[in-house]
Amino acid sequence: MKLIDGRAAAADIMSEVSAAAAELRAAGTDPTLAIVVPTRDEATAWYVRSIERAAAKAGVTSRVEHLADPGAEDVTGLLRKLSADPSVHGIICQTPLPDGVSLEEVAAHIDTRKDVDGAGPTSLGRLAAGLPTFAPATAAAVLELLHREQVELAGARAVVVGRSTVVGKPAALLLLNEHATVTVCHSRTSELAEECAEADILVVAVGRPGFIGAEHIKPGAIVIDVGTNPTDDGGLVGDVDPAGARSRAGAYTPVPGGVGPVTTALLLRHTVTAARG
Ligand SMILES: NC(=O)c1ccc[n+]([C@@H]2O[C@H](COP(=O)([O-])OP(=O)(O)OC[C@H]3O[C@@H](n4cnc5c(N)ncnc54)[C@H](OP(=O)(O)O)[C@@H]3O)[C@@H](O)[C@H]2O)c1
C-alpha cells in the first residue's frame, strides 16, 4: 500500500505558481485573490489563514473581505464589486453563509473568469459540458493526485461518495470527462459497501470520521479521502479509516497531508491563470 503524498504534490504546484506570479509581477500585474468571509466561524478562519500563508509564500496577494452579519444582497453586492475590480483576478466566497443563503445562489454573482473555486452555476455548467473552466479546487485536487499517480482513468470504475456541489458532483464530472465509468453515492444509496467495493478509484467526500472501512474497499483500489473532520484534540481525520485503507487499498491519501494542501495550491494556480487573462 502506498501513501499518496499531497504535501509533495502541493510543493511542486507551489513552485510553479511562484514562478508564474513572479513573471506576472515583472510584467506589471500583481496577481490577487479576494477572499470573502461572510460569517464568523473558527474552521473558516483557520482555512482563510492557511490560504493567506500559502498565497504570501507564492507571491500572490490575498485580500480578505470580512462582512459582519450580512444579508444575501450584501454578499452578492461585494461579489459584483470585486468582479468589476480590475485589480482582483480571483474571487472565492467562504461558507458558512448567513441562514437561508446558498453558495450556488451568491456565487452566480462572481465573474466566471474570476471564479477560481468553480462555485458559480456557469462554471459548473461549463464543467458539465466539458468546456474549459475553473473546477472547484478540491475536486480538481482529486484529479491532480490521480494524474500524478498516473492512474489510468479511461475505462476505470470510479465511485464518488458524496454529491455536494463543491466536491462530490464536480469530482464525478471531472472523472467522467476523463472517461471513467462513474457512480455517485449519497445518503440514500442502498448497498453502499457493495457499490464502493466495485471501485478501482474510490473518492470519499462525506464528512464523517472513519466512515469508510476495509469492507468498502476493493483490494488494490486507489482511495482518495477528501474528508476533513476536526478531532477533540485539535487534529484532523478523514472519512476513511486508515487501518481499513492500509489493509486493502493499493494507494490512499492520508488526512492531513493528502487532498487539503493540493486544494490550496490549486486555488493559487487558478488565480495566476486568471491573472494571465
Ligand atoms: N480537503 C479539502 O480541501 C476539502 C474541501 C472541501 C470539503 N472537505 C471535506 O470533505 C467532506 C465533505 O464535504 P462537502 O462539503 O462535500 O460536505 P456536504 O455538503 O455535507 O456533503 C456530504 C455528502 O455526503 C453524503 N452523505 C452523508 N451521509 C452519508 C451516508 N451515510 N452515506 C452516503 N453518503 C452520505 C451526503 O449525501 P446527501 O446529498 O444525500 O445528503 C452529501 O452528498 C467534509 O469532511 C469536508 O470538511 C475537504
Side-chain angles (χ1 to χ4, degrees), residues 16 46 67 81 84 86 103 128 136 144 171 189 191 196 209 211 221 227 235 241 261:
E16 177 207 305
W46 182 90
L67 285 171
K81 188 174 134 223
L103 179 63
E144 179 77 25
T189 298
E191 318 293 348
C196 292
F211 180 67
D241 167 36

Side-chain angles (χ1 to χ4, degrees), residues 138 161-164 166-168 185-188 192 205-208 211 226-229 239 259-260 263:
T138 308
V161 190
R163 57 172 165 178
S164 71
V166 284
V167 192
C185 299
H186 46 77
S187 65
R188 312 282 177 91
L192 180 73
V206 171
R208 292 190 179 200
F211 180 67
V226 181
T228 48
N229 308 292
D239 289 348
V259 173
T263 298

Side-chain angles (χ1 to χ4, degrees), residues 59 61 124 126 158 161 170 183 243:
T61 297
L124 285 163
R126 290 182 66 87
V161 190
T183 301

